[in-house]
Each structure stands twice: as structure tokens, then as C-alpha cells.
Amino acid sequence: MRPQPKTDIVLGAGCIAASLAAIFLWIPPDTSSGLIETVRRQVSVGDALAPTAASAFVLAGGALLILRDSPTRADQRITLANLKYLLALLFMLATGFALMRWAGPIIAGIALEDGYRPQRNTVPWKYIGFFLGGSALVTSLISFVEGRVTLRSAVIGILSTLSMIAVYDLPFEDLLLPPNGDV
């Protein structure tokens, strides 16, 4: 009988595969510019730089998981509990991202005559999806790890999302928070 794969090795290989797929298959066709753009001798950050850098960090983390020497690695097995945990995390991520993507357009479709697209860069419409999805995502992940839903996790979810809005959107006039650029 073949031994089951060790969890660190499987997780590391999955991280490496996902990051390589993102770097070579997803990011290039999804961005309109490269990593660094030069226009009229003006050098600027391209659309692909941030997701490529994030994917490179995931790739490095996957490699470190595979290469590290763990004294408990021999005892590690992938169990049904591991798969349930992974499915719960994927469900929370999908729900948070779905809220982020569709909450703004649905609420604007109900409240506005001309829909969401003309208002996607105006207050409060540009924050609806990001705020609801981000707050739900952070709150659900904290609650999942703690094993209970608390007011503290909700406050952290709300404050962390508001701080991301303050850091990434307020200083820049022409920046659209995700996913408003695609809507």
C-alpha cells in the first residue's frame, strides 16, 4: 500500500501550482499592461505587477513548505477533516467575493434608475460591494478560526475594511476599488 501524501508537501505543491498558473495563465491575459510600463520615457507600475508579486510570495511559501524539515511530517496525513476545513474556507472566500462583486450592482439596480455602472466611482456606490464583501470575509474567517461569531470579530471585519478603503481609495482620485473596474 502506498503511503498517503504528507499535508505540507501537498499544500506546498498546490501553492506552487496555483501561483504558476496565476503568473503564466491568468495574469498576462487579464491585464492590459505588463509588470512595468514605459511611456514617453516615463516609467510606471504596470497592472500585472501587484498580482505577480503576490503570486511570487505564494510560490515562495509553497516552496518553503515543501523544503522545511518538520519532525511531525511523518505523522501527517490528509484526512476528511482537512478537506472539510478547506471546503469551509473556500465557501467563505467565494461568499465574500460574491458579495464584493454583486452587492453594489444589485443594490444600485434596485435603488437607481440608471443602474450601477454610471455610479460605480461615486460615494456611496463604489464602497458597497467592497465594504460588505470585505467585512463579511474578515468576520467569517475570524469567526471560523475562533469557533464562534462575536461582536469583536464583526468590529474587526468592519474596521479592517474601512482602513483598506482609507489607505487604497481615499488618497487616489482615479483608483477604482475591486471589482468596480470590471463592472
Side-chain angles (χ1 to χ4, degrees), residues 5-35:
K6 308 302 183 253
T7 55
D8 286 352
I9 295 171
V10 172
L11 180 60
C15 288
I16 290 171
S19 62
L20 289 174
I23 290 170
F24 294 109
L25 301 176
W26 174 49
I27 296 169
D30 197 46
T31 55
S32 59
S33 64
L35 299 174

Side-chain angles (χ1 to χ4, degrees), residues 150-162:
T150 61
L151 179 61
R152 179 182 159 274
S153 64
V155 169
I156 291 171
I158 290 168
L159 291 178
S160 64
T161 304
L162 289 174

Side-chain angles (χ1 to χ4, degrees), residues 74-159:
D75 299 334
Q76 294 175 341
R77 303 267 188 253
I78 295 176
T79 65
L80 187 58
N82 296 133
L83 297 177
K84 286 180 182 178
Y85 186 85
L86 180 63
L87 287 174
L89 284 176
L90 290 175
F91 176 76
M92 286 182 275
L93 291 170
T95 302
F97 291 147
L99 275 170
M100 199 174 279
R101 169 62 178 88
W102 288 297
I106 289 171
I107 293 170
I110 294 168
L112 300 174
E113 208 172 280
D114 56 349
Y116 182 72
R117 187 161 176 80
Q119 303 298 324
R120 70 183 176 155
N121 199 23
T122 61
V123 176
W125 304 105
K126 69 179 184 174
Y127 298 126
I128 290 173
F130 191 83
F131 177 75
L132 291 177
S135 297
L137 186 59
V138 173
T139 302
S140 65
L141 289 172
I142 291 171
S143 298
F144 183 63
V145 169
E146 291 181 342
R148 61 196 161 106
V149 180
T150 61
L151 179 61
R152 179 182 159 274
S153 64
V155 169
I156 291 171
I158 290 168
L159 291 178

Side-chain angles (χ1 to χ4, degrees), residues 10 12 41 43 52 80-81 115 180:
V10 172
R41 292 184 280 189
V43 178
T52 303
L80 187 58
N180 292 333

